Amino acid sequence: MFRMINPVQDYAWGSTSALTELFGWPPSAEPRAEVWMGAHPTAPSQVVLDEDGPETTSLDTLLADRPELAGAADGGSARAAGLPFLLKVLAAARPLSIQTHPDAERARAGFAAEDAAGIPRTDRRRCYPDPSPKPELLVALDEFAALSGFRDADEAAEDLEALVRLLRADGAGADGTDGSEDAEAVGSLADLLAAGDHHGALEEILRGRREEFVAAAERITRLLAPEAPALRADVLGRPGGLATSTADTLRRVAAAFPGDPGLLVTVLLQRVDLRPGEALFLPAGNLHAYLHGVGVEIMASSDNVLRGGLTGKHIDVDELLSVTEARRLPVPHCPPTTPAPGRRRYTPECRDFALERIELPEAGSPLALADEGPAVLLCTAGELVVERLAEEVRTGSADGAVIPRGAARLRLRPGQSAYLPATARHRLVGGDSGQAFLATRGAVAA
């Protein structure tokens, strides 16, 4: 097995304190948004080849050189053998972008089209830096808030009407007009939702009447600020006003992205609040945004993201509209099964990945880990010891070369992870108390 040294992404929405509090890492003045554990070429993990020496290599390079470590037979590719997942720890201090992800067919077509257009694969304008779909599963480590899919049209219309009243009560707009156009634009969304036209409402905000929604978002941002309590009082809290969760979402988004028309998109989407251990599965086409919280996220090994707002990154409204599933969907909770005490397994309908949460001492020790292929083991609490079963190691490959074996025994502390190759079986043998997540391949055919 191989100790992993994982890249940390410093996106602006990340937290400066969450990973310090969770893992005991040194404080950071810069935001730490995501810890990536995997072999995605954008930011692959490094792996330690020998615990007694300094030699490391990137995981993607190791698996390209020795695909047997990813379960490939006869020198086949690591991806074909089943290493399609990327594991992350996500720490959001403020909202992420409104986004969706493509299915496999759309990802392949989009990737080929951008290649044909001559857009470099590292160019930030690309929507499709790789040809793969990107389903996602997030398990909350603390209280986690997200938006996922379109909400009930009547509930959304009530909140939109409350915002119309707020805009009309404010009177004149900042540009010297009476503000009626802003209010009328927001009110028109309720009519579209009443007709079942979620796609039309989304398109109106992002493209059709964008300038009017920018103006409305700027005024709503100002009117929901703490210094405007008199005007807010009439529209906050049911009955007859904004839903409490909607008001909280709008405040968070307005504080991070003042004047962004994506503020109005959030009113169309379902608010989902997860408690620790609860999970959300986001398949292709699900329009979503994370608001705040810390979680363990697993996804197909892809970075294909179609953004529509609440971001300084590249936005492609046309592509987002073409991919988004524009109808009301049930909240895609993913409740775990409990195959044994202390073990909770999250298995969405996805062939790319599955995720297991292990709690010690409930799970017992020694504890045999999954042996159906490669895995990534992440420690999130306590201290864990993982051991390779030496008698199970297959050291030869099809070409006669020796397969790197890494360490026989690793001690993992919070925030540390290990790559468990397909050439051996592994078990947890120590740790009086702790928590770990085990990422493996999924078992459901696409």
Side-chain angles (χ1 to χ4, degrees):
M1 79 194 89
F2 301 89
R3 184 182 299 277
M4 303 172 76
I5 303 170
N6 302 308
V8 178
Q9 308 289 3
D10 60 352
Y11 306 140
W13 49 262
S15 171
T16 59
S17 61
L19 298 185
T20 297
E21 296 167 1
L22 183 64
F23 297 148
W25 289 2
S28 172
E30 300 298 322
R32 291 186 288 210
E34 293 180 344
V35 183
W36 286 30
M37 290 159 277
H40 194 280
T42 298
S45 298
Q46 297 290 307
V47 291
V48 178
L49 298 179
D50 184 349
E51 286 290 302
D52 296 324
E55 186 178 2
T56 64
T57 189
S58 66
L59 184 56
D60 60 335
T61 298
L62 177 67
L63 299 183
D65 292 342
R66 294 266 56 100
E68 298 90 346
L69 295 172
D74 300 324
S77 74
R79 186 171 187 85
L83 189 66
F85 58 81
L86 174 63
L87 186 67
K88 297 181 181 181
V89 175
L90 183 148
R94 67 178 199 170
L96 281 67
S97 62
I98 295 167
Q99 59 183 255
T100 191
H101 306 295
D103 61 18
E105 182 179 359
R106 189 77 182 195
R108 287 191 296 267
F111 178 76
E114 291 183 343
D115 268 1
I119 305 174
R121 294 181 183 178
T122 56
D123 195 307
R124 293 180 180 273
R125 295 173 298 160
R126 283 193 79 125
C127 294
Y128 298 99
D130 58 68
S132 303
K134 193 176 182 263
E136 299 175 343
L137 171 78
L138 182 132
V139 180
L141 289 178
D142 66 1
E143 301 294 324
F144 196 98
L147 303 172
S148 173
F150 289 99
R151 63 192 290 211
D152 177 81
D154 290 339
E155 293 178 359
E158 288 184 27
D159 283 335
L160 290 168
E161 289 163 4
L163 290 175
V164 169
R165 290 198 302 274
L166 178 68
L167 292 169
R168 287 176 175 162
D170 180 48
D175 59 359
T177 67
D178 63 4
S180 61
E181 289 187 1
D182 302 354
E184 190 277 327
V186 173
S188 71
L189 299 177
D191 296 333
L192 290 167
L193 293 178
D197 191 0
H198 294 88
H199 186 279
L202 181 63
E203 185 174 12
E204 276 292 270
I205 297 170
L206 298 180
R207 186 169 58 192
R209 301 174 67 176
R210 183 180 177 87
E211 291 186 5
E212 292 170 56
F213 284 107
V214 167
E218 289 173 345
R219 293 178 63 205
I220 292 169
T221 296
R222 173 171 56 82
L223 295 170
L224 291 181
E227 58 269 22
L231 282 171
R232 288 205 330 268
D234 183 50
V235 297
L236 298 184
R238 300 281 191 197
L242 286 174
T244 301
S245 60
T246 303
D248 179 71
T249 297
L250 288 172
R251 288 194 199 97
R252 291 180 182 275
V253 172
F257 300 97
D260 191 307
L263 182 74
L264 279 305
V265 176
T266 70
V267 183
L268 309 183
L269 303 181
Q270 299 179 96
R271 169 75 176 249
V272 183
D273 291 287
L274 302 176
R275 293 174 294 183
E278 293 183 332
L280 190 65
F281 175 60
L282 299 169
N286 182 299
L287 191 65
H288 63 277
Y290 295 149
L291 297 175
H292 68 89
V294 181
V296 173
E297 188 180 37
I298 188 169
M299 62 196 65
S301 188
S302 171
D303 202 26
N304 290 331
V305 183
L306 309 172
R307 300 178 181 90
L310 309 185
T311 182
K313 296 181 179 180
H314 176 64
I315 290 175
D316 191 325
V317 172
D318 290 344
E319 193 65 15
L320 178 132
L321 289 171
S322 68
V323 168
T324 296
E325 189 165 356
R327 61 185 178 91
R328 190 188 178 195
L329 300 170
V331 176
H333 289 296
C334 185
T337 59
T338 307
R343 305 185 74 167
R344 292 169 179 82
R345 190 161 176 82
Y346 305 86
T347 53
E349 293 189 5
C350 173
R351 68 176 183 180
D352 297 301
F353 56 77
L355 189 64
E356 183 174 342
R357 188 173 98 245
I358 301 169
E359 303 282 351
L360 295 176
E362 291 87 349
S365 178
L367 176 65
L369 300 178
D371 61 4
E372 64 267 21
V376 172
L377 180 69
L378 166 69
C379 176
T380 50
E383 187 172 284
L384 308 172
V385 177
V386 59
E387 182 178 83
R388 183 183 67 212
L389 299 180
E391 66 271 17
E392 298 289 342
V393 174
R394 301 183 293 279
T395 57
S397 65
D399 59 9
V402 174
I403 299 174
R405 296 172 61 181
R409 183 182 175 94
L410 287 176
R411 186 178 300 274
L412 300 179
R413 295 181 174 84
Q416 296 181 338
S417 63
Y419 178 73
L420 310 183
T423 51
R425 294 182 181 179
H426 305 84
R427 66 183 182 183
L428 288 176
V429 296
D432 293 334
S433 65
Q435 182 186 75
F437 284 82
L438 184 70
T440 62
R441 289 181 294 189
V444 178

